[in-house]
Amino acid sequence: DIILLDINMPGMDGLKLCASFEIMRSTLENNFSLMWRQAEDRQQLHAAFVHDLRTPLTVLKGYGEMLEASSDAMVKDTAKTMGKHIQRLEDYIETMSRLRSLEDSVPEYRESNLQKMLESLQSSAKVLGVCNSDCLIITGCFMPNGPFQCR
């Protein structure tokens, strides 16, 4: 069924009003199409990014596991540190592959062990060589051996 509307507006004829609505409709259609294409492009880029990261991480994980079998204590320790950081990257990739958009995500609150986090920060600082400068000092009641200072 076709419904006809009779719209009378002082100072504006019906053709001008219809033309304005058509411009508005066309603009909305174009904007929606553009947004849809951008969302699809983002998903494709995201999938490629996740895939390209997983392959080298798998190789590094394999090498790390081989190094952990070494009889040299320093090599084992380095392999263990590598394994922790590789696991962090794998966890990040997994989270990013499940996440479609930040707007759709709900924060996940959980208790964390602050001591472990500070120890991890200290370990990362040593590996990154931050200890060669005086830019990192960790202090607080959670440091049982006193403040950690990179100097």
Side-chain angles (χ1 to χ4, degrees):
D1 292 335
I2 297 175
I3 299 173
L4 297 175
L5 295 176
D6 184 18
I7 301 174
N8 289 317
M9 293 180 65
M12 179 176 267
D13 67 33
L15 289 177
K16 285 184 183 177
L17 184 61
C18 287
S20 294
F21 276 120
E22 177 57 27
I23 291 169
M24 212 169 23
R25 185 206 59 78
S26 176
T27 302
L28 287 171
E29 180 183 28
N30 290 339
N31 288 343
F32 180 77
S33 296
L34 178 64
M35 285 176 29
W36 188 263
R37 280 193 305 274
Q38 287 174 341
E40 287 177 338
D41 290 346
R42 230 182 352 261
Q43 285 178 349
Q44 288 177 352
L45 181 64
H46 178 78
F49 178 74
V50 166
H51 178 268
D52 287 349
L53 272 178
R54 280 191 176 142
T55 302
L57 280 177
T58 302
V59 171
L60 289 173
K61 191 174 186 178
Y63 284 141
E65 290 170 357
M66 287 185 346
L67 291 173
E68 283 184 35
S70 172
S71 57
D72 185 344
M74 187 173 167
V75 171
K76 274 186 171 182
D77 189 45
T78 301
K80 187 176 177 183
T81 302
M82 271 179 49
K84 287 179 187 176
H85 292 288
I86 289 170
Q87 185 60 50
R88 283 177 56 198
L89 286 170
E90 286 178 331
D91 292 345
Y92 174 75
I93 290 169
E94 182 61 32
T95 299
M96 293 307 293
S97 65
R98 283 186 278 122
L99 184 65
R100 289 291 173 218
S101 73
L102 292 176
E103 295 82 22
D104 296 337
S105 68
V106 176
E108 180 182 316
Y109 300 100
R110 64 176 186 248
E111 288 188 24
S112 296
N113 185 328
L114 188 57
Q115 179 64 37
K116 285 185 180 179
M117 189 211 53
L118 291 172
E119 288 170 0
S120 176
L121 181 62
Q122 179 179 353
S123 173
S124 295
K126 286 179 181 176
V127 169
L128 294 173
V130 173
C131 294
N132 295 333
S133 66
D134 59 352
C135 64
L136 179 67
I137 300 173
I138 302 172
T139 60
C141 60
F142 297 100
M143 301 301 290
N145 301 327
F148 167 71
Q149 297 187 13
C150 286
R151 294 202 178 209

